[in-house]
Amino acid sequence: MAEKAPSGHVAVIGAGVVGASTALSLRRAGFEVTLIERGEPGMGASYGNAGLLSATGTVPISTPGMLWQVPRLLMNPLAPLTIRWSYLPQLAPWLWQFVRAGSPARVQEISNVLAGLVAHGQDSYRALLGEDDFADLTQGGGMLYVFETDRAFESSRWKMDLRRSHGAEVNYVAPEQIRQLEPALAPIYRHALHVPGTRYVRNPLRLTQAIARKLVEAGGRIVTDEVEGIEAGAGAAPVIVAKGGRHRADRVVIAAGAWSRALARQCGADVPLDTERGYHAMFRTPKAAPRLSVMSGDYDFAATPMEHGLRVAGTVELGGLEAAPNYARAEHLKRHGQRMFQGLDGAEAEFWMGFRPSMPDSLPVIGPVPGNDRVYLAFGHGHLGVTFGAITGRLVADMIAGRKPVVDVTPLRADRF
Ligand SMILES: Cc1cc2nc3c(=O)[nH]c(=O)nc-3n(C[C@H](O)[C@H](O)[C@H](O)COP(=O)(O)OP(=O)(O)OC[C@H]3O[C@@H](n4cnc5c(N)ncnc54)[C@H](O)[C@@H]3O)c2cc1C
């Protein structure tokens, strides 16, 4: 790629952790930047997540044998992964791609791409935030996978091997040492694995707010407006049509999380973006909170001791953007949290639901609309949008500035399906 002097005005749509990081990286690269957000920065999926900056995020969500699990996923609305019947007709094309992404060969390919991004996840935040803010906003010490049953532990073995094959340190913890490492845990776990490399964000909202503040301090602008459409002819400067008026820029980056699909389509990129809805239960004043973030290997949720309480978060509900939340799922998470750490007061738990922006192959879309380098796409980060926020910003800024991206972005292109 030829070196171009960074100049011109870039508008970024969406101030989640991905859009805010992208806007700040572009500003630091020398562009004039406007970040357009319809609400408050950081209040989408970037608000209520489990906060993990994962060192082991190299296993896609769709794995071999997924097709045979679909009927079961439709039967239990409280299962860790469930599909809403009413949404099945709309979901079918996405689901088909999701099942296809679970072949053993594809899982290995996807895992290799995820590993390339994971390798730069934390360092990109360090560079974006600076050492002091990185230390203030994130917590090291690693995370713990815990398993109540031998079955769950055995069935996770191949995933752990895949993680290790990319260099992740995953250490077995003998049963009698589990509660020495994490005294707050109930004595119900037979196996545990410690991952020293994973950190967590102490407060995900504060992370996005800090990035947005740095953008303004660096001379970027944040505009509150809801984008309704983009006029993007090839070679012409895009016009962003919003409720509050028309915004002009030399380039636009669509980083509107789970709501990006319609905007991308207007610009000529028809991508199979959908949403994996996730929930959390938050205990504001927990009597028993862990030191580390703990992931249940039996029920697929994480419990993270944040600065404002203990957050039990996770699970997947394929149900689209419109259906009302099913807070029975959050209630279920609450009960799992109470089982994991005895003494938690269920009456004080607060519930939340959010929309992960998810591609069927668990890889984000990062790069230009094919045939139109005035429009860039930065969405679809699924379960790893916090981990990949800063590296996404770095990649987009590199591409727009004409610099060679630090990882190969070919597998992330919009027309890969
Ligand atoms: C329960 C749960 C747990 C998770 N845990 C983790 C974890 O531990 N680690 C991890 O790495 N990831 C995790 N994730 C995933 C992560 O939260 C997401 O991938 C990430 O937040 C996506 O960021 P985003 O900026 O793309 O989207 P969002 O945060 O949703 O931001 C999109 C923004 O775009 C704005 N917007 C949308 N449309 C428009 C429009 N038309 N005009 C103007 N603005 C618009 C929205 O208001 C929103 O602010 C979790 C997610 C969930 C739900």
Side-chain angles (χ1 to χ4, degrees):
M1 242 181 254
E3 283 276 333
K4 287 178 255 167
S7 67
H9 179 196
V10 187
V12 179
I13 302 171
V17 71
V18 172
S21 299
T22 301
L24 180 55
S25 294
L26 284 162
R27 181 68 199 130
R28 295 245 177 98
F31 295 96
E32 184 190 339
V33 175
T34 304
L35 179 58
I36 306 175
E37 165 59 50
R38 63 184 173 192
E40 291 291 320
M43 291 302 287
S46 302
Y47 170 81
N49 54 69
L52 300 176
L53 299 180
S54 180
T56 54
T58 50
V59 181
I61 304 305
S62 180
T63 51
M66 199 42 102
L67 183 60
W68 314 115
Q69 294 181 37
V70 169
R72 197 164 47 83
L73 306 182
L74 283 159
M75 301 313 289
N76 182 0
L78 296 181
L81 173 57
T82 190
I83 302 172
R84 285 224 183 170
W85 270 106
S86 56
Y87 193 61
L88 188 58
Q90 259 173 285
L91 183 70
W94 187 95
L95 199 56
W96 174 235
Q97 295 284 4
F98 181 70
V99 168
R100 287 187 52 177
S103 74
R106 262 314 269 152
V107 166
Q108 184 62 55
E109 284 169 8
I110 292 165
S111 180
N112 294 344
V113 181
L114 290 171
L117 293 168
V118 165
H120 296 282
Q122 295 185 12
D123 283 351
S124 298
Y125 275 112
R126 220 177 271 231
L128 193 72
L129 297 168
E131 204 57 61
D132 288 352
D133 283 349
F134 183 75
D136 171 44
L137 286 157
T138 74
Q139 173 71 45
M143 60 93 65
L144 207 57
Y145 288 96
V146 293
F147 303 85
E148 288 183 49
T149 60
D150 296 343
R151 196 165 147 259
F153 181 66
E154 288 308 325
S155 62
S156 79
R157 200 178 278 278
W158 74 270
K159 295 184 184 176
M160 295 302 166
D161 288 344
L162 188 56
R163 292 174 169 121
R164 287 189 179 106
S165 75
H166 294 297
E169 195 181 333
V170 182
N171 302 321
Y172 185 75
V173 182
E176 64 279 8
Q177 286 170 353
I178 297 174
R179 293 180 73 223
Q180 282 169 24
L181 195 59
E182 190 43 85
L185 279 170
I188 54 175
Y189 296 102
R190 295 173 62 85
H191 304 278
L193 296 163
H194 182 229
V195 179
T198 291
R199 302 179 74 85
Y200 68 82
V201 178
R202 292 206 175 94
N203 178 342
L205 174 61
R206 199 156 72 77
L207 173 67
T208 305
Q209 286 174 338
I211 298 168
R213 196 176 56 247
K214 283 177 188 291
L215 170 69
V216 174
E217 284 165 5
R221 282 198 316 148
I222 302 178
V223 169
T224 306
D225 206 347
E226 179 160 359
V227 176
E228 295 181 318
I230 302 170
E231 296 169 2
V239 178
I240 297 150
V241 182
K243 282 202 169 132
R246 293 161 79 83
H247 305 268
R248 286 166 208 281
D250 299 304
R251 288 199 171 76
V252 61
V253 181
I254 301 172
W259 299 271
S260 300
R261 186 174 187 172
L263 296 174
R265 192 187 286 138
Q266 288 177 17
C267 300
D270 195 6
V271 288
L273 175 73
D274 211 290
T275 181
E276 293 172 86
R277 298 146 58 109
Y279 291 80
H280 83 217
M282 186 92 189
F283 299 87
R284 290 282 172 185
T285 52
K287 283 206 190 68
R291 207 168 47 84
L292 306 172
S293 180
V294 182
M295 173 85 79
S296 162
D298 302 80
Y299 300 102
D300 268 339
F301 67 86
T304 307
M306 296 187 173
E307 64 188 13
H308 50 318
L310 176 64
R311 179 172 291 175
V312 181
T315 76
V316 171
E317 180 187 39
L318 296 166
L321 292 168
E322 304 300 331
N326 175 7
Y327 284 120
R329 290 182 67 76
E331 181 74 35
H332 211 56
L333 280 172
K334 177 185 97 177
R335 274 192 241 109
H336 279 307
Q338 289 175 298
R339 183 171 160 74
M340 187 178 253
F341 308 106
Q342 288 161 359
L344 292 179
D345 178 4
E348 67 149 19
E350 293 165 15
F351 296 156
W352 171 89
M353 185 202 67
F355 300 96
R356 293 184 191 89
S358 298
M359 300 295 290
D361 60 359
S362 303
L363 293 175
V365 178
I366 303 175
V369 164
N372 187 350
D373 73 351
R374 299 272 193 157
V375 183
Y376 274 72
L377 309 174
F379 55 73
H381 296 70
H383 293 242
L384 291 166
V386 184
T387 308
F388 293 162
I391 177 62
T392 299
R394 186 174 165 193
L395 292 172
V396 173
D398 281 347
M399 283 187 266
I400 295 183
R403 298 187 297 239
K404 189 175 183 310
V406 67
V407 299
D408 177 15
V409 288
T410 318
L412 310 176
R413 65 191 192 279
D415 60 357
R416 64 182 184 260
F417 289 93

